[in-house]
Every structure is written in structure tokens, then in C-alpha cells.
Amino acid sequence: MTELAASDFRPAQRHIRLDTILRLRWLAVLGQLAAIFIVAQGLEFNVEIVPCVSIIALSAALNLALQTVSNPLQRLEPMQAAGLLALNIVELAGLLFFTGGLQNPFSFLFLAPVLISATALPARFPFGLGVLAVARASVLFFFHLPLPWNSDDPLVLPPIYLVGVWLSIALAIGVTSLYSFQVTEEARKLADALAATELVLTREQHLTQLDGLAAAAAHELGTPLATIFLISRELEKTVKEPNFAADLKTLREQTQRCRDILSKITQLSSTGAPFDRMKLSELIEEVVAPHRDFGVDIKVRIAVAIVAEPVGSRNPAILYGVGNIVENAVDFARTTVEVNAWWNKDTIELVISDDGPGIPPDILNRIGEPYLSRRRSKDEGGGLGLGVFIARTLLERTGAKVSFTNRTFPDHGAVVQITWPRDRFEAIETFEETIG
């Protein structure tokens, strides 16, 4: 219950649609043609039109070929997407070679393909594209044709300025791409973790729905079993053959046993059953009971209060969330886990603590984030580091506030405090309201 196995949940793969790349490439083609037209016709500067237009034409021809041969809606593999972005860098470098190199203010467009890859591709591809872009900028520092300018008053920039331009391009590629990658990676991890949480919620909802299905099955099977029971009883009275009579008796007894089992299922599944609502102490005992036989002493303390004990619904989200935290405490405890509860007319508080090593200081403020784990799962498949995140998300959806601390020195161990507004805890009626 603590972790989702990797085989149960697979994070979404990072892919870019071909249509997205083609739109960006067509935008680049139009922008490059417009820039050449404005510089050559509007500003009347001497531009190497033929080689520049040839590079742009090759780029446009490749776009047309990709649109014709491939489905634009297909998702590219990371290597394919990185290849097209690398081609953009090479094409830009070719245009800059004929238009002044790093003296051209459009040289900062080296940043665009790297930034796109940082937001959509695994880490190794933005790094490789960044190295390619910086390498092309370094070549253009030494080798390029003059910047298109007025031939009567040519523009000559000092080398120290060009060094500054190269350095600013390199820093912009590194810093901006790293920042974009980190932000996108955090957003992706959060989205994957929330998807895993929804998977847990869906499983819990299916389990609650099984009760209703069991009740319906019991109701439908009740009539034919009653008929079999009555017929077998009447036949038992009329048949004199001992062997047949013994078989009929066995049939009647087993039929009655089936009826008793179905009766119990119906009672447990019926709405308004005694277990639909439970006291806080009963909830704690149901959560703690499965973990008592693991060599760790679990001490439950319920504070004496003047106000009546809170009674809430038997909510799977609360049971799963609190149970997950108790299980973690048992896993890390040396000898003892304490579960303390108290309440008043406004608040319900549950504190779960252990005598284990506690939460490492460097992750104390991040505990509860997705994919944050420093232990190997006991399962063969390993864990995803989502257990505490899912538990915290489920509890907060029920109105709880969850906080994580360590015991005060010289004591050691982790402390998890769960606090509900009493009216919110007692008003939770159904599992569907919790996940809605």
C-alpha cells in the first residue's frame, strides 16, 4: 500500500508531434524570407540573396517532404525530434555565415531550438543541442561574410564586443534551457504523480462498488437457492433409499450454507449498515490492526475529552491515507510507533510518530512531493516514491492538513500531524464526494 509498483503505473513518455515541429519550421521559413526582403529591399543593404534563399528553399522542401510522406499528427521519437531541431541550428548557422556571423542580431535565435528541446525532450538531447549551438556560434566567431551594411560606411565591431556576444549566447543557452528543463520536469512529475493518485482513487472506488455488486448478486441468487432448498427438503422426506436420502441431506445443508453466506454479504453491503459510519477510535483501530504483527509495538492513545467522540463515514480515502502513513512509520521504526488522537468541538488531530531515524533534514521541507524517496521498495519491481504524496493528496481532499516534522532532540523519529476541521470530518458522506 505504501508504493505503486513500476509495473502498475508508467509515467507518460515525452514526445513532440511532427505537426508542432513543422509549424515552427514554417514560421522560421517565413520569418527568414521576410528578414531578407526587408534588409535587401527596404534598407537596400547588399545581401547574399542567392545562397540565403537556397538554404531557405531547402528547408521549405524538407517541410513539404515530411508533410507528404509522414502523418503530421504522429508523435516523433526523441531522437527524431532532436534531429529536426539540430537541422534548424545548422540552417540558422548557414544563414548567419552569409549575413555577418555573430554581428547579426538574429544570432540569438540559436537559443530557440535548444529551449524547445528543454521543454519537451529528455535531458541528454537539450545538452547535445546546446553543445551544437555553441559550437556553431564559435565557428561563426571566426568565419563569416561581412554584415550587410551601407558600403559607404561599413560597420566594424571590436573583437571584445563579439566575445561578449558569444558569451551571452552560450550563457543564455545554458541558463535558460536549464531553467526551462527543471520547470517542465517538475510539472511533468507532478502530472504523472497526480495521474498515479487518480489510479489509486479509481481502484478504491472499484473496491467500494464491489460491495454493491455483491449485494445485487446475493439478491439474485437468493431465490433459486431457496427453491433448491425447499425441493431438496421435500425430496428428503419422501425418498426412502438411505444413500439417496444422505445425498439429499448433504445438498440441503450445502444450499443452506450458501444462503447463510449470501445473507452475510447482503448485511455487510447494505446501505446504512453499522460499519458505514465509525468513531474516530474505531477508524484508528481498523488502520492499525493490519500492522500489529511486524515486530513493532504500536501504542494507540485516545485523549479523554468532554466533547463527544467524533463520528465520520467509513471513507476509503481516509483509511488509505492514514494507513499509508502508519505503514511508513512501522517500516522505519526501531521498536515503537505511537498513534495519538484528541479532539474538541472544532478540531480533530491525529499524530503518528515513530522512534526511527527520522526524516533527513535536506528533504524535510520537501516531504510529500512526488517521486521523493530514499528507500528501495520491498517488492521486486521497486517503487516510484509516490506513497506519501498519494496519502497526503487523499487526506487533503478530505479537508485535512498534513505536516511532517522530527522529534525534538535528544529523541529521534518522524512525526506526522493530521488535522481536520471537525465539521468537515463528520460531514464526509461518500467516497465519490471525496474524489469529486
Side-chain angles (χ1 to χ4, degrees), residues 22 28 73 78 89 139 152 198 215 223 233 235 247 258 271 315 324 339 350 377:
L22 290 177
L73 298 180
I89 294 176
V139 172
D152 297 332
E198 294 298 332
T223 300
R233 187 175 62 179
L235 288 174
D247 291 340
C258 291
T271 57
N315 187 276
N324 187 284
V339 180
L350 192 62
S377 175

Side-chain angles (χ1 to χ4, degrees), residues 15 278 407:
H15 296 290
M278 59 197 327
R407 286 182 169 181

Side-chain angles (χ1 to χ4, degrees), residues 217-231:
H219 177 74
E220 294 296 328
L221 292 173
T223 300
L225 282 174
T227 303
I228 295 172
F229 176 80
L230 291 174
I231 294 175

Side-chain angles (χ1 to χ4, degrees), residues 144-203:
H144 59 82
L145 297 183
L147 179 72
W149 203 258
N150 191 337
S151 58
D152 297 332
D153 185 19
L155 178 65
V156 179
L157 297 176
I160 189 66
Y161 177 81
L162 296 181
V163 171
V165 171
W166 178 89
L167 185 61
S168 63
I169 291 174
L171 289 177
I173 289 174
V175 175
T176 307
S177 299
L178 179 61
Y179 176 78
S180 300
F181 178 80
Q182 288 182 337
V183 171
T184 305
E185 186 71 7
E186 290 179 4
R188 183 187 65 82
K189 286 183 176 180
L190 181 59
D192 290 341
L194 289 174
T197 304
E198 294 298 332
L199 176 61
V200 171
L201 287 170
T202 301
R203 288 178 176 177

Side-chain angles (χ1 to χ4, degrees), residues 194 197 201 368 388-398:
L194 289 174
T197 304
L201 287 170
V388 176
F389 171 81
I390 293 174
R392 185 172 190 168
T393 301
L394 292 175
L395 291 172
E396 288 179 348
R397 288 188 175 191
T398 67

Side-chain angles (χ1 to χ4, degrees), residues 371-393:
Y371 301 97
L372 184 64
S373 178
R374 283 196 171 181
R375 68 172 182 179
R376 294 182 179 179
S377 175
K378 298 175 184 178
D379 299 328
E380 183 179 351
L384 296 176
L386 293 176
V388 176
F389 171 81
I390 293 174
R392 185 172 190 168
T393 301

